[in-house]
Amino acid sequence: ATNTNPNFTMTVSKSMERERTQEHSATGAVGNNGVRDVLIEGVLEKQGRWNKCWKQRYFVLESSGRMYYYQSESSKWDMSQAIKVIPIDCEAKITFSRQDKRNIIEIRVPSDGSGKRCCFLSTDDEITLEKWRRCLTSAQSSILFTTCPLNVRSW
């Protein structure tokens, strides 16, 4: 299930692409064994919520459906340094598109009282976009069928 989205944009450089697809035994969501369970991670461009310029950020998507983003890769080891956490759950709407030479990932999540929060993320290559698509879909699907009410599962 694909979704519609917000003011985030992710872009992954070719050098970061290799890092993102590596095994992540020490960098993801904390599982039963005390190790983060990361589905994918890497540098993407994010569009600012108020200032619409694109900035590189380091994103980590955990199997738990939490997507953290940091100013740089070096801060990913301390989850308290995350700029934000984007919940990829049954209420998140995610869409993928191509706009102005950018591969866009739009994520729309409910926010506290103010309607929907939109994130626009961008990557410059289609391979990276497809990897993020598979991982975001996988994370959302696993959450969808384990934690969401039955009436929400149908969309």
Side-chain angles (χ1 to χ4, degrees), residues 32-151:
N32 293 336
N33 59 0
V35 175
R36 290 180 80 181
D37 186 15
V38 172
L39 294 177
I40 191 168
E41 65 180 90
V43 174
L44 299 168
E45 287 186 353
K46 179 195 164 295
Q47 187 176 47
R49 184 175 187 182
W50 307 111
N51 179 351
K52 300 300 183 185
C53 65
W54 297 89
K55 292 185 181 179
Q56 285 195 347
R57 296 289 183 241
Y58 196 85
F59 287 82
V60 176
L61 175 63
E62 298 179 343
S63 62
S64 64
R66 289 184 303 265
M67 186 162 69
Y68 296 85
Y69 72 92
Y70 304 88
Q71 268 195 282
S72 66
E73 181 181 11
S74 61
S75 50
K76 76 178 180 180
W77 300 104
D78 181 358
M79 289 192 296
S80 69
Q81 290 194 21
I83 296 171
K84 288 254 190 247
V85 178
I86 305 165
I88 306 300
D89 58 17
C90 58
E91 295 185 55
K93 304 286 185 192
I94 304 170
T95 57
F96 304 88
S97 63
R98 178 116 175 119
Q99 300 171 9
D100 300 324
K101 298 182 182 179
R102 289 182 183 271
N103 295 299
I104 304 291
I105 302 167
E106 295 178 58
I107 304 171
R108 185 177 303 275
V109 296
S111 64
D112 32 16
S114 60
K116 299 272 186 185
R117 167 86 195 235
C118 295
C119 304
F120 292 102
L121 307 168
S122 171
T123 177
D124 56 359
D125 71 88
E126 292 178 20
I127 293 170
T128 300
L129 178 69
E130 188 54 37
K131 288 178 183 180
W132 278 95
R133 179 193 318 259
R134 281 194 312 266
C135 291
L136 285 163
T137 301
S138 173
Q140 190 173 42
S141 295
S142 65
I143 301 296
L144 185 63
F145 290 103
T146 58
T147 63
C148 295
L150 289 175
N151 63 338

